[in-house]
Amino acid sequence: MNKKFLYAGIGLLLSCTTFAQKQDKDAVKFSAVINKDVAYKHLSVLASDEYEGRETGTRGAWMAAEYIKNQFKSFGLTGPVKDNSDPYFQPVGYSSFPVIGNVVINGKTLESGKDYYFQNNSVSSKGTSLQSASILFAGYGISKDGYNDYEGQNVAGKIVMVFATGDPTVAPAPAPQPGQQARRQPIAGPTANKVKYLLDNKAAGVILINPILDNVTPQLARMINGNPILTTAERLKNLDAGAQLPVLNVSTAVANQILAAANLNVEGVKGAITASKKPSTQLINVSINAQASKKEQKIRAENVLGFLEGSDPKLKEEVLVISSHYDHIGLVADPNAKDKVNNGADDDGSGTTGVLLVAEAFANAKKAGKGPKRSILFICVVGEEKGLLGSEWYGEYPVFPLKNTITNLNIDMIGRGDAAHPDNNFVYIIGSNMLSDDLDRIGKEANNTYTKMFLDEKHNNRTDPERFYYRSDHYNFAKHNIPVIFYFNGVHDDYHAPGDEVDKIDFPMLAKRSQLAYYTAWMLTNGKDRPVVNKDADGKLIK
């Protein structure tokens, strides 16, 4: 017998026989709305092509926010944000700092976004300039045993041009497909080492010959300035952290204009260096006059909040937060792609659908006089794909005091499955025992009593190689010492790809996993005591 499934079976047996209790008839009654048909109704809208992949700061994300808000309102949830014209929206301080540049080489003005772009974090908010009557071409910009583009050269005070990628002493990597690098920082890995060498040796600036500019897609044109950031005071302090050496990326065509002054071109010089394994470093008499500056541009982004006040006067100040992220990664960068929308049906249209299902169930219970004793905040956050930004913002500017927040149940990807669970009757739970053994017990008791799935804890640790504990919005509650459970179905071949479509969703399992979150929430909001935090940030018992 395969050990993986043997252990899974043992885990299921244990989870179905431990802590079982009598079902609450009211909890079961109001769970009826958490079903596959209602799930399909929501997800077929949120993950439709019309919503354009819901990228933060775009029309599709704003449409999704409006849809979620209108659903919350229709359920009877209130908007709890007091300092905004729309109480269902918590504006997130999200801004981009695009570089405005002017580059003239040998008297010819270049076109930003087509011929060149400045590396965003290399430009100071106070402005950056590059001026010289010559440019030092240093081939691949490599300095190592056996090959040194800088042998006999003093780069101090010079503007140095090098190939952004490549090493003539090793076999070349496969060429990227059009648009493939659109979501990566253009400076990374070996390229960063090339720039660091020039910084350490006091060069005046760097020109990177970057082939990413040879095929600029509309998506890439929006992204080459780098991801926008939260405009918190701490983030703004670091805005100029990398602005020690100006880095200008240019296209192959621009590089050829520069090299032409020395009767060279990119293809020829690469071939010569590769054939001889010898550098081709030389000073080229070409003038450059470039200036760049940053200017903040605020981006519309909002968390969507719906509030259900608790029924018990003594307990309603305590708040359970149930969350998902409604944003995804937007449109496909490749203009030739047949499918141009990253629909994000599973990631995280499924989790957002789950939040809507649970919200409606609790709202129905309250209308019938069976509402939870503690309050519930349903929050669909923005900017998760940009670095958990929406939940980070809520953690810094909470609508309800964090000390009153008893738990966060976070739902991120519950509509599919993975190869390890062919019957798909499972969910990964992450974080449940990290801070509170009480929460772990309650979550498992809810499953054993009502949903009876296999709760896979493979990723439920801080040393998981995939680091899932740190990769979704629950973490921005856990870091504030709030117990969390993250419900997750694992990654699949369509993760962050156009294939993450509605027609691949297992709606019965989406509903069942949502029911687990609902029943766990029912027990948390109606229980005698809130979960005790009995472990520290390292998982050690608090004495």
Side-chain angles (χ1 to χ4, degrees):
M1 181 179 288
N2 187 304
K3 289 184 179 180
K4 181 183 298 182
F5 297 117
L6 173 62
Y7 296 150
I10 292 172
L12 178 58
L13 178 63
L14 289 174
S15 69
C16 290
T17 57
T18 308
F19 305 131
Q21 66 171 19
K22 185 178 179 180
Q23 293 186 348
D24 184 316
K25 292 181 179 179
D26 287 330
V28 174
K29 175 182 176 180
F30 294 108
S31 72
V33 73
I34 307 176
N35 62 62
K36 63 183 179 62
D37 296 323
V38 180
Y40 179 82
K41 181 190 78 169
H42 293 310
L43 189 55
S44 63
V45 175
L46 290 167
S48 65
D49 284 356
E50 184 182 4
Y51 280 49
E52 298 176 344
R54 309 186 305 277
E55 184 172 9
T56 298
T58 68
R59 170 179 172 271
W62 304 331
M63 292 172 68
E66 288 289 339
Y67 179 85
I68 296 162
K69 178 188 79 172
N70 290 333
Q71 296 305 308
F72 284 165
K73 289 178 71 174
S74 73
F75 302 156
L77 303 183
T78 59
V81 184
K82 296 180 180 179
D83 55 353
N84 191 44
S85 58
D86 190 329
Y88 290 89
F89 285 165
Q90 181 190 38
V92 173
Y94 190 54
S95 296
S96 66
F97 294 83
V99 172
I100 301 170
N102 182 62
V103 178
V104 180
I105 292 180
N106 242 15
K108 182 178 180 181
T109 301
L110 303 186
E111 183 178 344
S112 177
K114 176 183 176 184
D115 297 323
Y116 77 92
Y117 70 90
F118 276 93
Q119 191 71 22
N120 187 283
N121 62 2
S122 77
V123 175
S124 167
S125 58
K126 298 176 182 178
T128 295
S129 65
L130 288 172
Q131 289 182 311
S132 180
S134 62
I135 296 171
L136 179 66
F137 172 63
Y140 287 90
I142 293 172
S143 174
K144 65 180 183 179
D145 291 342
Y147 182 89
N148 185 0
D149 282 306
Y150 299 111
E151 186 173 357
Q153 297 289 333
N154 180 6
V155 301
K158 294 185 175 70
I159 296 173
V160 182
M161 182 170 75
V162 299
F163 296 119
T165 59
D167 182 337
T169 66
V170 299
Q177 296 299 312
Q180 183 178 341
Q181 296 189 22
R183 297 193 169 275
R184 301 177 187 170
Q185 289 294 334
I187 290 186
T191 306
N193 294 334
K194 297 179 184 187
V195 173
K196 185 177 185 304
Y197 175 91
L198 294 170
L199 173 65
D200 292 345
N201 287 277
K202 304 186 185 313
V206 185
I207 300 175
L208 293 176
I209 305 170
N210 195 337
I212 199 172
L213 277 161
D214 297 342
N215 184 24
V216 179
T217 66
Q219 182 82 337
L220 176 57
R222 288 196 298 113
M223 299 187 68
I224 56 178
N225 276 322
N227 278 339
I229 65 169
L230 284 181
T231 53
T232 60
E234 194 62 35
R235 298 267 183 137
L236 290 176
K237 270 196 269 182
N238 295 323
L239 187 60
D240 289 341
Q244 300 169 288
L245 181 68
V247 180
L248 175 66
N249 289 257
V250 300
S251 67
T252 300
V254 171
N256 280 333
Q257 293 172 23
I258 296 170
L259 291 170
N263 296 316
L264 298 172
N265 60 58
V266 167
E267 185 178 358
V269 78
K270 279 187 171 182
I273 295 173
T274 300
S276 67
K277 296 295 187 289
K278 293 181 179 180
S280 185
T281 303
Q282 56 186 291
L283 194 66
I284 302 176
N285 293 319
V286 170
S287 65
I288 178 171
N289 188 338
Q291 292 82 35
S293 60
K294 289 180 179 177
K295 185 176 181 180
E296 181 177 3
Q297 290 185 356
K298 294 188 180 298
I299 297 172
R300 176 187 164 187
E302 55 258 324
N303 296 328
V304 190
L305 284 65
F307 181 65
L308 189 76
E309 187 176 46
S311 60
D312 188 318
K314 295 181 180 179
L315 296 178
K316 67 180 182 180
E317 296 302 314
E318 296 181 357
V319 180
L320 169 67
V321 175
I322 302 178
S323 64
S324 70
H325 72 90
Y326 68 87
D327 67 300
H328 193 52
I329 62 174
L331 298 174
V332 175
D334 184 357
N336 300 314
K338 292 181 180 179
D339 188 349
K340 298 189 179 344
V341 181
N342 291 296
N343 298 82
D346 192 27
D347 185 13
D348 183 31
S350 65
T352 300
T353 295
V355 169
L356 293 175
L357 296 174
V358 175
E360 186 172 8
F362 273 104
N364 289 345
K366 183 171 183 178
K367 290 172 187 175
K370 300 292 184 178
K373 295 178 181 179
R374 293 179 176 84
S375 298
I376 306 178
L377 175 65
F378 299 94
I379 178 169
C380 297
V381 299
V382 73
E384 192 269 358
E385 301 290 1
K386 305 294 186 182
L388 314 186
L389 298 186
S391 56
E392 179 183 355
W393 186 263
Y394 183 85
E396 294 298 322
Y397 305 99
V399 174
F400 298 98
L402 294 183
K403 67 180 181 180
N404 293 352
T405 302
I406 66 167
T407 292
N408 168 232
L409 303 179
N410 183 49
I411 313 173
D412 188 352
M413 299 176 62
I414 57 165
R416 297 275 294 267
D418 62 14
H421 306 87
D423 68 353
N424 209 29
N425 187 35
F426 85 105
V427 68
Y428 290 109
I429 56 168
I430 300 170
S432 66
N433 63 350
M434 297 288 198
L435 296 170
S436 171
D437 286 326
D438 278 349
L439 177 60
D440 187 57
R441 173 184 55 77
I442 292 168
K444 289 173 179 174
E445 187 174 315
N447 180 61
N448 300 327
T449 304
Y450 297 99
T451 49
K452 296 179 172 60
M453 283 183 287
F454 171 50
L455 304 183
D456 194 325
E457 300 189 64
K458 174 184 177 181
H459 303 295
N460 188 29
N461 59 79
R462 292 176 175 81
T463 58
D464 170 32
E466 300 291 342
R467 293 180 59 80
F468 286 124
Y469 179 61
Y470 304 96
R471 286 174 55 181
S472 191
D473 295 296
H474 59 280
Y475 182 67
N476 281 321
F477 291 90
K479 74 181 186 182
H480 290 287
N481 218 35
I482 295 168
V484 301
I485 302 178
F486 168 26
Y487 301 102
F488 176 55
N489 59 214
V491 296
H492 41 72
D493 290 343
D494 294 317
Y495 176 68
H496 279 202
D500 187 4
E501 298 267 16
V502 173
D503 62 5
K504 295 180 181 177
I505 295 295
D506 183 341
F507 282 98
M509 280 310 302
L510 190 163
K512 191 172 186 180
R513 291 163 180 153
S514 300
Q515 287 173 354
L516 174 58
Y518 162 79
Y519 285 121
T520 304
W522 187 280
M523 295 174 67
L524 287 165
T525 54
N526 290 301
K528 180 181 177 182
D529 299 305
R530 64 188 285 176
V532 173
V533 176
N534 68 324
K535 295 179 182 178
D536 62 19
D538 296 319
K540 296 178 181 177
L541 288 173
I542 299 172
K543 296 180 180 179

